[in-house]
């Protein structure tokens, strides 16, 4: 489906590849991202999507014909460690071509989603939007005909579901090379002649030669996913699959530096680029203090506290008192420095979740979680207000709309000097 020629790199650690096609032919030309943004902002593009069925090595087997895909499926990306993306869609199955069997969309089949922007020139820019593993297929007979509903999750699900179950007690001793352990996890045999994942990982250069500082023990029945998350904790890293299907391991400090992130987009209700603003404040679940404890190499205890003490935040403790989250006890945290990074990260996550806003925006494949947008609205007195994207979702149809959830950066105590565009 075309050759990858260009990439968009985001401050969140995400990399999204894209390429151009016209009349089914790949076009070898550059894309002016600013011009593309202008066309999206002015709603002079239309949405497209396609779903590709992959071989186990993730080369392309075939593309599902667009006329076989019923409008109204769903794509969703949620900002969190581990599994982030999910995909669901329905296929017309009147001739039985998609009825579940070992030769069609069977257990473990991998898919790639591409979301396109169709330009006035007739060309389409296709953006990768993740590699998925089918986890459920539901054939049905309806009044309108035969259909098959398909749901899939990104590849981190391989490590958390039955495919990632650890068979016997496993121990990762102190001093183990973390990069090697992660790679070994991905190359775990599935028993079918294929490993869990053959695609190279994206491992941040600052983690090179990092060793485990505490022993990690897993019992039979635990999952590889939990092991990977513990390794990420020891690195003070976020771990997730990107749009290309690579496992990404990136420092928390890099991807949570909201003050250094540029804006992806600016939205205004007056200009009609954003609508249906819906603010939600779950007062009973507000957290403005996180306490983290761990071990230390000397046998003592490492500890850190993160507090929202920003007087400009409506959730700071000076305004509403201390609201303490669950105490985090993690033996993988082996120093006060790591404990503080974890506490700051967890507090940031709590503030994102508990003070979210939802809205509808124009279809835009460039929107990615953990990046910034600005919103202006006269009724809510928002003037170029910065928000952090928490969730992006859209229907697989041609309505030209997306739904996003985001949180106000005023609630984040780590923001001091946000860059102007």
């Amino acid at each position: 489906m075309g050759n990858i020629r260009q990439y968009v790199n985001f401050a969140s650690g995400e990399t999204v590849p894209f390429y151009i096609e016209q009349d089914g032919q790949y076009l070898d030309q550059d894309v002016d991202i600013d011009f593309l943004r202008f066309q999206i902002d002015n709603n002079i593009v239309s949405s497209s999507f396609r779903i590709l069925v992959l071989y186990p090595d993730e080369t392309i087997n075939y593309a599902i014909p667009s006329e076989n895909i019923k409008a109204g499926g769903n794509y969703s990306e949620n900002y969190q460690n581990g599994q982030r993306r999910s995909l669901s869609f329905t296929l017309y199955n009147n001739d039985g071509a998609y009825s579940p069997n070992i030769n069609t969309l069977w257990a473990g089949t991998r898919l790639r989603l591409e979301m396109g922007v169709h330009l006035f020139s007739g060309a389409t820019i296709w953006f990768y939007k993740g590699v998925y593993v089918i986890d459920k297929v539901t054939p049905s007979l309806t009044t309108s005909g035969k259909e098959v509903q398909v749901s899939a999750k990104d590849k981190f699900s391989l490590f958390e579901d039955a495919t990632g179950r650890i068979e016997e007690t496993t121990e990762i001793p102190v001093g183990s090379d973390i990069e090697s352990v992660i790679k070994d996890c991905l190359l775990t045999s599935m028993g079918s002649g294929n490993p869990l994942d053959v695609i190279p990982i994206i491992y941040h250069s600052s983690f090179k030669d990092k060793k485990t500082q505490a022993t990690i023990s897993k019992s039979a029945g635990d999952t590889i996913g939990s092991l990977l998350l513990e390794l990420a904790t020891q690195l003070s890293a976020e771990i997730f699959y990107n749009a290309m299907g690579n496992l990404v391991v990136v420092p928390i400090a890099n991807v949570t530096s909201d003050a250094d992130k540029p804006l992806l987009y600016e939205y205004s209700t007056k200009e009609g680029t954003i609508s249906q603003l819906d603010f939600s404040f779950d007062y009973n679940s507000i957290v403005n203090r996180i306490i983290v404890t761990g071990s230390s190499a000397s046998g003592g205890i490492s500890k850190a506290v993160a507090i929202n003490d920003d007087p400009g935040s409506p959730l700071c403790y000076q305004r509403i008192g201390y609201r303490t989250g669950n105490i985090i006890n993690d033996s993988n945290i082996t120093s006060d420095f790591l404990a503080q990074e974890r506490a700051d990260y967890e507090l940031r996550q709590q503030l994102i979740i508990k003070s979210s806003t939802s809205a509808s925006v124009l279809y835009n494949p460039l929107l990615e979680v953990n990046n910034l947008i600005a919103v202006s609205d006269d009724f809510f007195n928002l003037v170029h207000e910065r928000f952090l994207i928490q969730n992006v979702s859209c229907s697989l149809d041609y309505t030209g709309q997306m739904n996003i959830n985001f949180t106000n950066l005023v609630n984040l105590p780590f923001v001091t000097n946000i860059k102007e565009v």
Side-chain angles (χ1 to χ4, degrees):
M1 294 294 124
N3 298 310
I4 300 170
R5 291 292 185 183
Q6 300 180 62
Y7 298 83
V8 183
N9 296 308
F10 295 88
S12 59
E14 176 65 84
T15 299
V16 178
F18 62 94
Y19 60 94
I20 313 173
E21 262 188 3
Q22 186 162 1
D23 299 326
Q25 300 297 316
Y26 168 72
L27 299 182
D28 188 2
Q29 68 181 52
D30 291 335
V31 172
D32 186 329
I33 293 297
D34 290 334
F35 178 66
L36 175 60
R37 285 175 171 163
F38 173 81
Q39 294 195 78
I40 291 173
D41 289 345
N42 287 276
N43 202 20
I44 53 178
V45 299
S46 58
S47 57
S48 299
F49 63 90
R50 61 185 173 197
I51 299 169
L52 311 175
V53 179
L54 308 178
Y55 290 112
D57 66 355
E58 297 183 21
T59 55
I60 297 171
N61 185 355
Y62 62 92
I64 298 176
S66 59
E67 62 269 19
N68 292 351
I69 304 174
K70 184 177 180 179
N74 183 262
Y75 160 77
S76 179
E77 180 188 5
N78 194 52
Y79 177 42
Q80 61 188 24
N81 252 349
Q83 191 218 319
R84 288 191 173 183
R85 303 174 194 264
S86 63
L87 174 67
S88 62
F89 56 94
T90 297
L91 298 172
Y92 296 115
N93 192 40
N94 291 327
D95 60 359
Y98 300 108
S99 296
N101 66 70
I102 60 173
N103 297 312
T104 58
L105 303 180
W106 197 236
T109 299
R110 302 189 186 202
L111 309 170
R112 187 170 84 208
L113 174 66
E114 294 183 2
M115 295 171 60
V117 176
H118 190 67
L119 307 177
F120 183 77
S121 65
T124 301
I125 305 175
W126 290 104
F127 293 84
Y128 284 34
K129 282 295 176 177
V131 175
Y132 303 84
V133 181
I134 292 178
D135 67 330
K136 186 176 182 181
V137 174
T138 306
S140 62
L141 180 61
T142 69
T143 55
S144 58
K146 300 173 184 176
E147 298 178 347
V148 173
Q149 298 175 4
V150 180
S151 67
K153 298 181 287 190
D154 75 31
K155 290 193 292 180
F156 206 87
S157 63
L158 288 168
F159 310 121
E160 296 180 313
D161 295 339
T163 49
R165 198 77 64 193
I166 295 173
E167 298 179 9
E168 56 187 11
T169 300
T170 299
E171 185 173 284
I172 309 298
V174 172
S176 299
D177 183 76
I178 295 178
E179 182 179 9
S180 297
V181 175
I182 292 175
K183 289 180 176 179
D184 288 344
C185 287
L186 269 63
L187 293 176
T188 300
S189 174
M190 297 182 68
S192 60
N194 298 304
L196 289 171
D197 189 7
V198 297
I199 306 303
I201 68 172
I202 297 177
Y203 192 76
H204 197 271
S205 58
S206 65
F207 293 148
K208 196 69 177 174
D209 299 323
K210 290 284 187 179
K211 312 295 183 183
T212 52
Q213 300 299 306
T215 299
I216 299 177
S217 297
K218 292 295 173 184
S219 302
D222 286 338
T223 65
I224 295 173
S226 64
L227 172 58
L228 290 173
L229 291 172
E230 288 198 29
L231 290 167
T233 295
Q234 292 203 16
L235 290 171
S236 195
E238 281 194 353
I239 184 169
F240 60 94
Y241 270 96
N242 67 12
M244 295 185 291
N246 301 96
L247 185 69
V248 176
V249 186
V250 61
I252 284 175
N254 287 26
V255 296
T256 60
S257 297
D258 301 309
D260 298 323
K261 292 177 181 176
L263 290 174
L264 287 188
Y265 268 86
E266 298 181 60
Y267 291 104
S268 168
T269 53
K270 181 180 293 184
E271 296 175 3
T273 54
I274 189 169
S275 61
Q276 300 179 31
L277 282 173
D278 182 9
F279 288 82
S280 173
F281 296 94
D282 187 351
Y283 293 153
N284 291 329
S285 300
I286 289 173
V287 170
N288 59 18
R289 180 170 65 172
I290 292 289
I291 300 172
V292 173
T293 62
S295 59
S296 70
S298 62
I301 294 176
S302 55
K303 182 178 179 179
V305 180
I307 301 173
N308 183 350
D309 57 2
D310 179 0
S313 169
L315 304 183
C316 67
Y317 81 91
Q318 298 96 321
R319 293 177 184 270
I320 62 174
Y322 289 118
R323 306 289 184 95
T324 306
N326 294 331
I327 308 300
I328 298 172
N329 298 291
D330 194 333
S331 61
N332 292 293
I333 297 170
T334 55
S335 69
D336 289 344
F337 176 79
L338 289 177
Q340 191 62 59
E341 279 200 331
R342 176 67 178 276
D344 290 343
Y345 180 75
E346 294 293 339
L347 180 58
R348 177 177 180 269
Q349 297 302 94
Q350 288 293 327
L351 292 169
I352 289 171
I353 294 171
K354 305 307 181 186
S355 57
S356 63
T357 307
S358 63
S360 177
V361 298
L362 294 172
Y363 172 84
N364 186 348
L366 290 171
L367 293 179
E368 289 286 336
V369 299
N370 195 22
N371 287 283
L372 301 185
I373 59 172
V375 177
S376 296
D377 177 80
D378 292 340
F379 180 77
F380 288 111
N381 296 318
L382 302 177
V383 180
H384 202 68
E385 194 77 22
R386 266 70 165 177
F387 291 86
L388 185 77
I389 302 175
Q390 177 190 352
N391 176 272
V392 178
S393 64
C394 69
S395 295
L396 303 185
D397 55 26
Y398 304 99
T399 59
Q401 295 290 310
M402 286 185 128
N403 297 310
I404 56 175
N405 286 77
F406 45 90
T407 190
N408 195 324
L409 285 176
V410 172
N411 293 332
L412 304 180
F414 320 113
V415 177
T416 53
N417 297 307
I418 301 175
K419 287 184 177 179
E420 296 291 336
V421 293

